[in-house]
Amino acid sequence: MNTQTLEQMKQLRLHGMIRAFNSSLSPQSVDYTNDELVAYLIQSEWDDRKNRKVERLTKTARFRYSAIMENIDYNHERNIDRNQIQRFATCDFVTQKDNILITGSTGAGKSYMASAIGHQACSLGFKTMYFNTSKLFTMLKTSKADGSYLKQVNKIEKQDLLILDDFGLKGLDNINRHSLMEIIEDRHGKKSTIIASQLPVEAWHEIIGEQTIADAILDRLVHTAHRIDIKGESMRKKLKNK
C-alpha cells in the first residue's frame, strides 16, 4: 500500500483501518492472505468506529459515576434480583420504551445502579442523558429566561434513555411541575426513563403536588414500569468502615 493510498485513508478518516494496516506490517503480525487482510482492515475500522461512538455517547451522557453492571453488589441484604438486572443489561427495556424506577435510602446505591444501566445503554449505541433532577430543573428555568427552553426540551425528548437521579429531594414548584409533565408526556410510549429516588413511589404524588398533574405524570411513569427497591445499609458507610 503506497503513501498516496494511506493519505487518502486519512482524508476519509479511516483511522482504525490505518492502525490495523500499520500493525500488519510488524514482524510479529499474522501472514494474511489478500482476503484475510481486507477482512481484517474492515473489521478494525468497524470496531474503531463503534468504540468512538460509545465514547462519544458516554461523554455526552455526563454520568455521575463511572459505573459498570459487573460491579453491582448483589448481597442478599440489598434485595436486588440478579436476573432482573441482567435482563436490563440487554437494554430490551429501551427498545420496548419501558421505564425503570429505583428507590432506596441514602447511600443504598441507586445512583450507581442507574449510571451502570446508562453506561450499558451507551455501549449498545443508545443515546443517553443523565441529570441530577434539581440541576435539571435549574437548567430548564435558566433556559426559559434565555429563550433556549424548547431546544433543551427537544434535546431531552430525542434521548433513547433519560436518567433522573435524586428525584424528590424537595417538592416541585409550579414551573418545575409543568416542566416535568412536559418531559414525561413527550417521552411516554416513545422513549425510556429511569428515575432514582430516596422516597418510595407512593410518596411521589405529594412531592409533585397539584393532584391533576401528579396523577397524569405518575400514570405515565409508574403503572407499567420496572421497579427496584434497594434495601440494606448505606454502601458509602460500608466502604468507609472497611
Side-chain angles (χ1 to χ4, degrees), residues 114-126:
S115 296
I117 297 172
H119 275 279
Q120 182 70 6
C122 288
S123 73
L124 294 176
F126 293 107

Side-chain angles (χ1 to χ4, degrees), residues 96-154:
Q96 294 167 3
K97 324 305 190 222
D98 292 340
N99 300 322
I100 299 176
L101 310 180
I102 306 174
T103 55
S105 59
T106 301
K110 304 178 299 297
S111 298
Y112 188 93
M113 182 176 290
S115 296
I117 297 172
H119 275 279
Q120 182 70 6
C122 288
S123 73
L124 294 176
F126 293 107
K127 292 186 292 184
T128 303
M129 290 193 76
Y130 169 97
F131 288 103
N132 170 284
T133 306
S134 295
K135 291 181 179 178
L136 170 62
F137 288 144
T138 299
M139 182 270 287
L140 290 176
K141 280 185 176 178
T142 301
S143 69
K144 285 190 174 184
D146 65 22
S148 64
Y149 178 78
L150 289 178
K151 179 181 177 181
Q152 296 295 342
V153 170
N154 289 336

Side-chain angles (χ1 to χ4, degrees), residues 152-169:
Q152 296 295 342
V153 170
N154 289 336
K155 183 178 180 181
I156 292 171
E157 181 185 359
K158 291 176 181 177
Q159 303 304 309
D160 298 308
L161 177 61
L162 172 67
I163 300 174
L164 299 180
D165 196 9
D166 288 330
F167 175 78
L169 292 183

Side-chain angles (χ1 to χ4, degrees), residues 172-223:
L172 304 188
D173 61 24
N174 191 52
I175 295 175
N176 292 341
R177 189 182 301 120
H178 281 85
S179 292
L180 179 62
M181 179 67 212
E182 187 168 359
I183 290 169
I184 299 304
E185 174 64 25
D186 286 344
R187 301 183 62 77
H188 179 57
K190 302 175 185 175
K191 305 289 184 179
S192 294
T193 303
I194 295 177
I195 297 184
S197 175
Q198 292 181 24
L199 300 175
V201 174
E202 293 72 24
W204 292 7
H205 197 285
E206 182 178 351
I207 289 296
I208 296 171
E210 193 170 324
Q211 182 174 345
T212 302
I213 295 180
D215 286 344
I217 291 173
L218 294 177
D219 181 66
R220 288 159 175 76
L221 272 179
V222 174
H223 298 306

Side-chain angles (χ1 to χ4, degrees), residues 75-93:
N75 186 295
H76 71 278
E77 295 178 352
R78 305 190 72 210
N79 189 44
I80 299 173
D81 184 342
R82 183 189 293 266
N83 289 329
Q84 181 187 40
I85 303 304
Q86 289 178 343
R87 287 194 296 272
F88 292 154
T90 67
C91 287
D92 285 346
F93 78 94

